[in-house]
Amino acid sequence: SDAARPSSAEKNFRRQVASGPRLQDFIKSPVTLAVNCEHTDEHYLSEDLGLLGDGRKVYFETYGCQMNVNDTEIAWSILQKKGYQRAADLNQADVVLLVTCSIREKAEQTIWNRLQQLTAMKKKRLKTNSPMKIGILGCMAERLKTELLEREKLVDVLAGPDAYRDLPRLLAAAAGGQQASNVLLSLEETYADIMPVQHASQGRSAFVSIMRGCDNMCSYCIVPFTRGRERSRPVSSILEEVQMLSDQQGVKEVTLLGQNVNSYRDTSEVQFCSSERTKLSRGFSTVYRAKQGGLRFSDLLDLVSRIDPDMRIRFTSPHPKDFPDEVLQLIAQRQNVCKQIHLPAQSGSNQVLKAMRRGYTREAYLDLVDNIKQIIPDVSLSSDFISGFCGETDDDHQQTLSLIREVGFNVGFLFAYSMRKKTHAFHRLQDNVAPQVKQRRLEECISVFREEAERVNSAVVGSTQLVLVEGESKRSAEDLCGRTDGNMKVIFPKEDVAVQACVSNTAPIRGGDYVLVKILSAGSQSLRGRALSHSSLRSTATPSCDGYKCKILVGG
């Protein structure tokens, strides 16, 4: 019928489609690379274009937190599979990649200074047949993309924390003489299918990323803007990686990593989903609505701790709000989950905590500390503090000092406040504490922290601690160093010791060994002692010889 016949307009359209370009015309076209992920409609990638490294050497410099170290391992895993080689020396590098931090102004200034040095080196290399390309990876790439690419023109490649899969394309573009960037944040990227290339020294320790991003939106913090929203890696891929580290590399300590590690919530499988709401520490709140369902951090910690009874498990960095009793009870029950908790307080003043949008009061924080100490009596606590936050008064500062004294931390990370663009504080608060006041308050916090740390550490003098040996002490080749269950550094003489308690046969101590060490003295940052015997993590109590007598000493 006439209704079934195509009209002249339809015939004309079909002729245009038939005579138009085919898919192969786009794939094999030799035109210039697309260099910016936001303008990929301008050009097309050639199928055989140099996405492979072809033996080009990459040199990494990593700055900032342990997450950046893990990002370096992920980026290198991606590039290694594309045929790049790892340069051990900067002078051998064809590509220099800086994995950067934006948490404080000082961290960024370090990168700017380094870029000036590398740019001078790059200009000298232009006169040779081995030009050098410079790339910025991580948080600074996302935060300062315009300044880095357009104003300063110091770099060839920018890749944000969620764009490492795109590195081969970006480097191919840079090799063609163009600047290339991808700083888009993702709601899903966890790199779950990429096995990081771990560089565990002598098989002692490794870091495993379990989640990325942060939803807390503390007013001072840039992380949600440089790392994006929280998303958790599927539990199956985490367990696979930890199993591999145990079986193939003999790793003795794994640290689970995340910007807010204990808010882990895997919803990747249907059976993990439920209507059960996330449990918080008592007296804590969030700026976001309660989340439902998912495999929680306590579940993950349970599964990871079962893989290898002789492997220590740590985690960082947590938020105090995510310590429900089931997490604390699991830590107390499992011999290989370290009895050490990082509990960032940031301030001891309710006024400052409210301005920071931390979601808790001083009183709630101290109640949590009491609960932790009740469930885990031998726990070691560490913390973070910021001096000189917006509006902080001398009274606020004194409240912070009193909190440090009251809790008794043995490790601390303390910094003067540095305002970051994009944050809530940048838009809503005044950075009105003078730099010299910030510095004075910081020095006072550090002084009190050291006093309390020395007091806390002195309490273990005379005890025997199970120490995981890291290697030679940096200060003396005659000494070894290692860490206790509570993450305290222990220095002790390098000497052969009994292969096990109450046995006369001796053996040298090597990195990765567990040894029982008698603690003889303590300072604010380390302990000193003497090794008694080799040991292991598998038993909760280990006999130790003292002259002709044997007594039972609890390891850790």
Side-chain angles (χ1 to χ4, degrees):
S1 66
D2 290 341
R5 293 183 192 143
S7 67
S8 58
E10 288 175 311
K11 289 179 181 178
N12 186 45
F13 174 74
R14 290 178 181 177
R15 279 196 300 271
Q16 288 178 335
V17 170
S19 61
R22 297 168 300 157
L23 177 61
Q24 292 301 314
D25 294 324
F26 290 98
I27 294 176
K28 293 185 177 179
S29 174
V31 294
T32 310
L33 257 174
V35 297
N36 192 305
C37 62
E38 297 171 5
H39 297 92
T40 52
D41 57 332
E42 294 179 7
H43 307 289
Y44 298 91
L45 287 172
S46 171
E47 188 177 42
D48 57 354
L49 206 55
L51 297 187
L52 298 178
D54 293 329
R56 280 187 291 169
K57 294 184 177 180
V58 180
Y59 183 82
F60 286 93
E61 289 186 3
T62 306
Y63 300 82
C65 67
Q66 191 59 48
M67 282 295 293
N68 281 0
V69 176
N70 187 256
D71 278 8
T72 301
E73 294 169 348
I74 290 170
W76 172 231
S77 179
I78 291 166
L79 293 177
Q80 188 180 46
K81 289 177 182 177
K82 290 294 185 180
Y84 285 86
Q85 295 181 13
R86 187 81 176 256
D89 187 283
L90 175 61
N91 294 313
Q92 300 173 348
D94 301 302
V95 178
V96 179
L97 298 177
L98 308 186
V99 186
T100 62
C101 174
S102 277
I103 199 72
R104 279 173 287 278
E105 185 177 353
K106 184 178 179 181
E108 288 187 353
Q109 191 56 51
T110 300
I111 301 298
W112 284 117
N113 295 340
R114 186 58 172 150
L115 280 175
Q116 297 291 344
Q117 298 168 1
L118 291 173
T119 301
M121 188 176 181
K122 179 181 176 181
K123 288 178 180 176
K124 291 181 182 178
R125 291 273 290 270
L126 286 174
K127 301 173 184 177
T128 70
N129 291 325
S130 57
M132 186 174 79
K133 301 297 180 182
I134 301 172
I136 295 289
L137 276 56
C139 297
M140 197 167 163
E142 197 287 328
R143 200 182 89 77
L144 296 172
K145 50 189 175 289
T146 303
E147 290 89 333
L148 287 163
L149 277 181
E150 298 175 12
R151 192 183 72 196
E152 300 293 343
K153 299 187 184 299
L154 295 176
V155 301
D156 304 288
V157 167
L158 285 182
D162 294 341
Y164 300 143
R165 292 180 193 272
D166 205 21
L167 272 173
R169 180 185 73 88
L170 299 175
L171 290 174
Q178 302 186 57
Q179 288 184 314
S181 71
N182 184 346
V183 295
L184 294 180
L185 293 176
S186 168
L187 291 174
E188 289 136 12
E189 181 62 87
T190 63
Y191 301 106
D193 60 323
I194 294 173
M195 193 66 71
V197 181
Q198 297 272 1
H199 287 275
S201 179
Q202 298 181 35
R204 290 189 293 276
S205 60
F207 294 83
V208 175
S209 176
I210 68 167
M211 58 86 68
R212 299 176 74 84
C214 182
D215 290 347
N216 291 322
M217 300 299 290
C218 300
S219 63
Y220 56 83
C221 189
I222 192 66
V223 167
F225 304 97
T226 59
R227 291 257 175 191
R229 299 290 300 275
E230 284 179 16
R231 60 270 190 208
S232 296
R233 181 178 168 187
V235 65
S236 57
S237 73
I238 297 170
L239 299 179
E240 180 186 357
E241 183 174 349
V242 174
Q243 188 76 60
M244 182 274 294
L245 291 169
S246 174
D247 294 345
Q248 299 180 25
Q249 296 189 27
V251 165
K252 292 294 184 68
E253 181 179 274
V254 160
T255 301
L256 306 178
L257 285 180
Q259 264 82 28
N260 190 17
V261 68
N262 54 340
S263 71
Y264 178 85
R265 190 174 67 97
D266 177 17
T267 56
S268 63
E269 298 185 29
V270 174
Q271 63 264 35
F272 299 158
C273 298
S274 71
S275 59
E276 184 180 359
R277 290 192 170 194
T278 300
K279 294 179 183 176
L280 300 180
S281 307
R282 287 186 290 275
F284 288 68
S285 62
T286 65
V287 297
Y288 54 82
R289 286 184 296 179
K291 297 176 182 179
Q292 294 183 341
L295 195 79
R296 303 298 303 162
F297 183 66
S298 58
D299 303 314
L300 174 67
L301 200 57
D302 176 27
L303 293 168
V304 170
S305 68
R306 294 175 185 273
I307 289 175
D308 182 351
D310 214 32
M311 175 191 280
R312 275 181 175 171
I313 309 299
R314 301 187 188 276
F315 55 89
T316 196
S317 179
H319 190 288
K321 69 177 172 55
D322 291 307
F323 278 110
D325 284 358
E326 53 261 38
V327 172
L328 302 176
Q329 288 162 359
L330 183 67
I331 294 171
Q333 293 164 7
R334 291 293 156 83
Q335 176 69 10
N336 63 334
V337 178
C338 292
K339 312 302 180 278
Q340 184 262 329
I341 291 178
H342 187 58
L343 207 63
Q346 307 302 357
S347 176
S349 160
N350 282 338
Q351 175 181 302
V352 175
L353 289 170
K354 184 177 180 180
M356 288 179 166
R357 305 209 302 180
R358 288 292 288 170
Y360 54 85
T361 62
R362 174 194 177 97
E363 292 74 23
Y365 183 90
L366 289 173
D367 285 346
L368 174 60
V369 169
D370 289 343
N371 191 42
I372 290 172
K373 289 182 176 181
Q374 183 176 352
I375 295 174
I376 315 169
D378 297 326
V379 71
S380 295
L381 296 176
S382 58
S383 194
D384 299 341
F385 285 90
I386 296 172
S387 293
F389 186 67
C390 306
E392 184 188 69
T393 65
D394 280 332
D395 182 60
D396 295 327
H397 170 60
Q398 291 301 320
Q399 291 180 53
T400 296
L401 295 180
S402 72
L403 182 79
I404 294 171
R405 291 189 180 100
E406 186 168 347
V407 175
F409 304 100
N410 63 0
V411 176
F413 304 90
L414 294 82
F415 302 95
Y417 176 60
S418 173
M419 182 169 272
R420 306 279 77 197
K421 291 181 180 178
K422 294 187 179 181
T423 62
H424 176 86
F426 178 79
H427 292 292
R428 301 292 180 87
L429 303 177
Q430 294 291 319
D431 187 9
N432 55 3
V433 179
Q436 62 271 25
V437 175
K438 289 181 183 178
Q439 190 60 36
R440 175 179 58 79
R441 291 176 183 172
L442 173 62
E443 290 169 1
E444 290 177 5
C445 282
I446 292 172
S447 177
V448 171
F449 219 107
R450 286 178 175 168
E451 290 172 11
E452 291 304 307
E454 186 167 357
R455 180 184 62 80
V456 170
N457 293 340
S458 295
V460 301
V461 173
S463 71
T464 300
Q465 298 287 320
L466 185 65
V467 172
L468 177 59
V469 182
E470 295 178 342
E472 283 188 358
S473 168
K474 292 180 180 179
R475 296 190 176 183
S476 172
E478 301 299 312
D479 290 334
L480 295 171
C481 70
R483 292 192 177 269
T484 67
D485 179 280
N487 207 28
M488 279 306 303
K489 181 186 288 186
V490 183
I491 310 295
F492 54 96
K494 183 192 294 183
E495 54 189 354
D496 293 1
V497 297
V499 293
Q500 63 185 63
C502 303
V503 172
S504 59
N505 295 343
T506 63
I509 302 172
R510 298 183 174 86
D513 288 347
Y514 284 112
V515 292
L516 288 171
V517 178
K518 180 74 172 286
I519 305 303
L520 303 175
S521 64
S524 63
Q525 299 181 60
S526 64
L527 310 172
R528 295 195 73 90
R530 187 149 202 157
L532 301 176
S533 70
H534 288 270
S535 188
S536 78
L537 195 57
R538 290 178 183 271
S539 59
T540 57
T542 308
S544 176
C545 289
D546 184 7
Y548 293 101
K549 302 176 185 177
C550 269
K551 58 183 179 179
I552 298 297
L553 296 172
V554 177

